[in-house]
Amino acid sequence: MRKFVFLLIVSTKFWAQEIQPEVLPSPMIAVDSLYREDQFYLGFTYNILLNMPGNVNQNRFSPGFKGGFLRDFPINKRRNVAIAPGLGLTYSNYFQSLFITRINGDPYYSTKTIGSDYQKNKFEELFIDLPIEFRWRTSGPVGHKFWRVYSGVQLSYLIYSKSVYIDDVVAVRIHNNPDFRKWQAGIYMAAGNNSWNLYAYYGFLPLFRDGTQVEGETINLHTMNLGLMFYIL
């Protein structure tokens, strides 16, 4: 009887050990100690004209779009401070009341329309951008939701422009007006959390070349762009 009880206890203990579930170590998360952030960007802006001549006004919503690539170079051990140079494109549209046409082949500017009223009056520009920005963020190697403040300077080169004026009498389109300044420079800032970031840009230089006038007054238009910026790894 004693032998039977002993064998029963040993067998029970053996089978209990056999049916225990296998305990596996927790999966390890690979941490990238050399991570970078925010390599691509896409922005949507409202374009505001500043320093407009006396009889010129902005009369419709003027949209803009921008996008490009930035190379992130962290400069501290935590990698939450970085410098990022990049390459991108900006398209800007301005609806306003400056009438642009040609006389004897040269651009001519006026605030007086030919017809009784106009249906469209705008100019648009497409730039290649060379931004370089200073970056601060609360990011780490794991997760992509964090606060950021990115500020920088941007040098831009005009590769295409077009002005369009249409009224009940004439339709005037001018491509690549030589009076538009080829090089632009400005400062900008983007700040926010996760996907949503407010964006602001101010251009240092006038949109038109020095000496461009409308009815004896210098056209000293500058641009300010306000909108949203989205960053993508």
Side-chain angles (χ1 to χ4, degrees), residues 11-23:
S11 299
T12 303
K13 187 174 181 180
F14 173 79
W15 283 106
Q17 290 177 346
E18 286 293 318
I19 64 176
Q20 280 184 350
E22 184 179 3
V23 179

Side-chain angles (χ1 to χ4, degrees), residues 90-104:
T90 292
Y91 168 78
S92 296
N93 211 343
Y94 301 94
F95 288 91
Q96 35 67 53
S97 61
L98 180 67
F99 174 37
I100 306 177
T101 186
R102 287 187 186 274
I103 294 181
N104 297 325

Side-chain angles (χ1 to χ4, degrees), residues 46-138:
Y46 167 52
N47 302 326
I48 304 169
L49 290 172
L50 306 176
N51 301 332
M52 288 185 287
N55 293 324
V56 176
N57 59 76
Q58 203 166 350
N59 46 31
R60 282 180 55 186
F61 179 80
S62 300
F65 309 95
K66 64 191 301 103
F69 174 82
L70 288 152
R71 183 59 169 169
D72 192 81
F73 292 96
I75 58 175
N76 66 336
K77 185 175 181 180
R78 184 181 166 187
R79 302 181 75 80
N80 70 322
V81 179
I83 300 293
L87 179 67
L89 291 172
T90 292
Y91 168 78
S92 296
N93 211 343
Y94 301 94
F95 288 91
Q96 35 67 53
S97 61
L98 180 67
F99 174 37
I100 306 177
T101 186
R102 287 187 186 274
I103 294 181
N104 297 325
D106 297 323
Y108 176 80
Y109 307 91
S110 175
T111 61
K112 300 177 177 63
T113 62
I114 295 177
S116 59
D117 194 11
Y118 60 84
Q119 290 81 50
K120 181 180 291 186
N121 190 14
K122 70 170 186 175
F123 62 83
E124 55 192 65
E125 298 179 309
L126 180 64
F127 290 93
I128 292 178
D129 298 327
L130 299 171
I132 181 168
E133 62 188 35
F134 176 80
R135 297 176 154 194
W136 173 87
R137 61 224 175 192
T138 60

Side-chain angles (χ1 to χ4, degrees), residues 121-167:
N121 190 14
K122 70 170 186 175
F123 62 83
E124 55 192 65
E125 298 179 309
L126 180 64
F127 290 93
I128 292 178
D129 298 327
L130 299 171
I132 181 168
E133 62 188 35
F134 176 80
R135 297 176 154 194
W136 173 87
R137 61 224 175 192
T138 60
S139 65
V142 180
H144 305 295
K145 296 182 179 180
F146 52 86
W147 291 93
R148 63 170 64 80
V149 178
Y150 296 168
S151 62
V153 296
Q154 179 175 288
L155 188 64
S156 302
Y157 181 76
L158 181 65
I159 58 174
Y160 176 76
S161 70
K162 182 175 73 171
S163 60
V164 178
Y165 175 86
I166 301 174
D167 66 16

Side-chain angles (χ1 to χ4, degrees), residues 15-51:
W15 283 106
Q17 290 177 346
E18 286 293 318
I19 64 176
Q20 280 184 350
E22 184 179 3
V23 179
L24 298 176
S26 301
M28 297 183 65
I29 299 175
V31 175
D32 183 6
S33 62
L34 299 178
Y35 77 97
R36 301 174 188 267
E37 292 289 0
D38 301 337
Q39 306 291 358
F40 296 93
Y41 64 92
L42 179 66
F44 304 91
T45 61
Y46 167 52
N47 302 326
I48 304 169
L49 290 172
L50 306 176
N51 301 332

